[in-house]
């Protein structure tokens, strides 16, 4: 082979196919040997019959015929032993190769599941930085401290500027300490000002934070005030003087536009066309609720039971040959994640 000659890729399926072919050839040759030995036996038997007819003159020939029959019987025994031993070895080899294929494919799918959840975590880590930074903006602090019309309008204007630069958000809300929305980034599109969101999980969690260095996050949900959009909301306190230990004045909540961002990651998983047609990629929360899916189905309605057996990552095969691979979020930097998993389900 020349240096420039390309090396053809070899897959485990190629090895399985070759093993099956070798088994088929071996079984065929053993059958041929048995056919020949059976013919020898018949010839030897006919020779003995003719030798007996010949009487004294055929006695020497009968000895030869008897030897031929004995050798053919011995060859048949050897061929039977060969078939049995090789058959067992081929079956073991096939099983080992299939197990190796499962381990290899399962490990690859697990890596892809990890890659998907890591991409999400890295993206959401930036959201935790955004909300803590923007909460110290002078416009947010002043509006939360004294929510008069001009200050709230200016805060909305500042939030709109941020939204123009950060297109991954659907809206940003500044709330007073009671949960009333006093400013938003898209007041013309979503008339949320004046609505009270004190019952939202993210608001309640942010209200309980002890420092401006901390943040609150809730699992994926839909928001009626944003036309039912799927959101991931990150929130923190707006504090006096923009100081981390300042008095709590209000809450800033930033709504990550979840569906299009997550869908891009799900459909971007590196699978070949053939694999993609039989593989479903998912993100599920800690309870198993589907929060993103490559086929767009079951989001926020379907629950998936992962047979993790206490493992944070791994794969397993169902009796029908379906492989399920999963990986729990490892977190990123200061963002520990919410126990979400990347999951790939591949049909045979």
């Amino acid at each position: 082979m020349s240096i420039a000659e390309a090396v053809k890729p070899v897959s485990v399926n190629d090895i399985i196919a070759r093993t099956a072919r070798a088994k088929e050839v071996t079984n065929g040759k053993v059958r041929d040997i048995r056919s020949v030995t059976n013919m020898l036996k018949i010839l030897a038997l006919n020779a003995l019959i003719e030798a007996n007819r010949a009487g004294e003159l055929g006695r020497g020939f009968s000895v030869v015929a008897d030897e031929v029959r004995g050798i053919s019987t011995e060859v048949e025994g050897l061929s039977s032993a060969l078939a049995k031993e090789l058959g067992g070895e081929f079956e073991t080899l096939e099983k080992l190769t299939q197990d190796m294929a499962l381990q290899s494919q399962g490990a690859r799918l697990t890596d892809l599941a990890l890659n998907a959840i890591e991409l999400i975590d890295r993206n959401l880590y930036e959201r935790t930085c955004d909300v803590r930074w923007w909460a110290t903006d002078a416009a947010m602090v002043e509006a939360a401290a004294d929510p008069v019309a001009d200050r709230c309008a200016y805060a909305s204007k500042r939030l709109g500027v941020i939204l123009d630069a950060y297109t991954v958000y659907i809206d940003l809300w500044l709330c007073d300490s009671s949960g009333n929305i006093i400013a938003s980034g898209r007041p013309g599109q979503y008339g949320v000002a004046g609505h009270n969101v004190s019952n939202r999980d993210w608001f309640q969690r942010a209200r309980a934070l002890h420092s401006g260095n901390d943040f609150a996050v809730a699992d994926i949900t839909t928001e009626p005030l944003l036309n039912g959009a799927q959101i991931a909301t990150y929130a923190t306190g707006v504090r006096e003087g923009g100081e981390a230990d300042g008095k709590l004045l209000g809450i800033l909540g930033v709504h990550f536009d979840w569906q299009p961002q997550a869908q891009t990651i799900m459909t971007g998983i590196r699978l070949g066309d053939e694999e993609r047609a039989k593989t479903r990629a998912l993100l599920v929360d800690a309870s198993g609720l589907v929060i993103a899916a490559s086929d767009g189905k079951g989001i926020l309605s379907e629950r998936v039971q992962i047979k993790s057996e206490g493992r944070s990552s791994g794969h397993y095969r169902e009796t029908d040959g379906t492989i399920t691979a999963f990986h729990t979020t490892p977190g990123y930097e200061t963002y520990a994640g919410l126990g979400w998993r990347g999951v790939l389900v591949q049909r045979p």
Side-chain angles (χ1 to χ4, degrees):
M1 181 181 69
S2 66
I3 295 177
E5 185 178 347
V7 177
K8 294 182 179 179
V10 178
S11 70
V12 176
N13 288 334
D14 293 331
I15 299 174
I16 293 175
R18 287 290 181 176
T19 301
R21 175 58 181 158
K23 180 180 179 181
E24 181 182 338
V25 170
T26 300
N27 288 339
K29 296 304 180 185
V30 168
R31 285 194 299 270
D32 291 343
I33 292 172
R34 286 176 174 172
S35 178
V36 171
T37 54
N38 285 334
M39 291 175 61
L40 285 173
K41 282 184 179 181
I42 293 172
L43 290 173
L45 180 61
N46 289 336
L48 282 174
I49 293 172
E50 293 302 322
N52 287 333
R53 285 180 181 175
E56 189 65 28
L57 294 175
R59 184 171 299 172
F61 187 68
S62 67
V63 173
V64 175
D66 197 49
E67 285 295 322
V68 170
R69 185 171 63 176
I71 291 172
S72 63
T73 300
E74 185 175 350
V75 170
E76 183 180 31
L78 289 172
S79 67
S80 296
L82 177 65
K84 183 177 180 180
E85 291 180 20
L86 280 180
E89 290 297 322
F90 276 123
E91 287 178 4
T92 300
L93 181 58
E94 282 184 319
K95 179 64 167 58
L96 289 173
T97 307
Q98 289 170 355
D99 288 346
M100 183 173 69
L102 171 62
Q103 291 171 7
S104 175
Q105 183 66 352
R108 176 172 172 273
L109 293 177
T110 302
D111 285 343
L112 291 175
L114 170 61
N115 181 250
I117 196 65
E118 279 190 323
L119 286 174
I120 288 292
D121 276 351
R122 293 186 183 195
N123 200 318
L124 297 183
Y125 163 71
E126 294 178 9
R127 312 293 66 90
T128 72
C129 299
D130 292 344
V131 70
R132 287 176 288 180
W133 169 31
W134 298 335
T136 65
D137 187 289
M140 305 305 120
V141 175
E142 291 174 5
D146 184 14
V148 294
D150 59 339
R151 288 190 174 188
C152 291
Y154 184 62
S156 288
K157 182 178 179 180
R158 287 287 299 150
L159 293 175
V161 170
I162 292 172
L163 281 176
D164 288 340
Y166 290 81
T167 57
V168 296
Y169 292 103
I170 192 167
D171 206 0
L172 313 176
W173 295 349
L174 175 62
C175 310
D176 64 19
S177 58
S178 298
N180 299 303
I181 301 174
I182 59 176
S184 67
R186 292 193 170 112
Q189 185 173 356
Y190 306 107
V192 298
H195 285 273
N196 187 281
V197 291
S198 59
N199 65 337
R200 304 299 197 268
D201 190 34
W202 56 267
F203 181 88
Q204 294 174 5
R205 293 187 187 190
R207 187 80 175 74
L209 295 175
H210 299 295
S211 166
N213 294 323
D214 301 323
F215 65 90
V217 57
D219 277 317
I220 307 303
T221 188
T222 55
E223 175 51 62
L225 296 179
L226 297 173
N227 298 334
Q230 298 170 16
I231 56 170
T233 302
Y234 289 76
T236 193
V238 177
R239 297 179 180 271
E240 192 172 50
E243 299 294 333
D245 58 354
K247 176 185 175 182
L248 183 68
L249 302 174
I251 300 295
L252 179 65
V254 299
H255 304 302
F256 182 70
D257 195 3
W258 172 256
Q259 195 278 330
Q261 313 305 326
Q263 191 67 23
T264 297
I265 290 176
M266 290 291 92
T267 56
I269 292 175
R270 297 177 66 86
L271 294 167
D273 292 339
E274 184 177 344
E275 270 193 310
R276 192 176 300 280
K278 60 181 182 179
T279 304
R280 189 184 187 205
L282 305 169
L283 289 177
V284 301
D285 68 13
S287 70
L289 180 67
V290 174
I291 55 177
S294 57
D295 59 4
K297 298 178 180 178
I299 299 173
L300 299 183
S301 62
E302 177 186 354
R303 291 191 184 276
V304 176
Q305 297 300 319
I306 306 298
K307 300 175 184 178
S308 65
E309 298 180 342
R311 298 173 295 168
S312 62
S313 64
H315 61 271
Y316 55 89
R317 181 170 57 186
E318 303 285 2
T319 54
D320 64 357
T322 298
I323 300 175
T324 299
F326 61 92
H327 206 298
T328 305
T329 169
Y332 183 72
E333 298 289 349
T334 58
Y335 181 62
L338 298 173
W340 295 354
R341 285 192 178 108
V343 180
L344 273 81
V345 181
Q346 188 171 90
R347 303 186 308 276

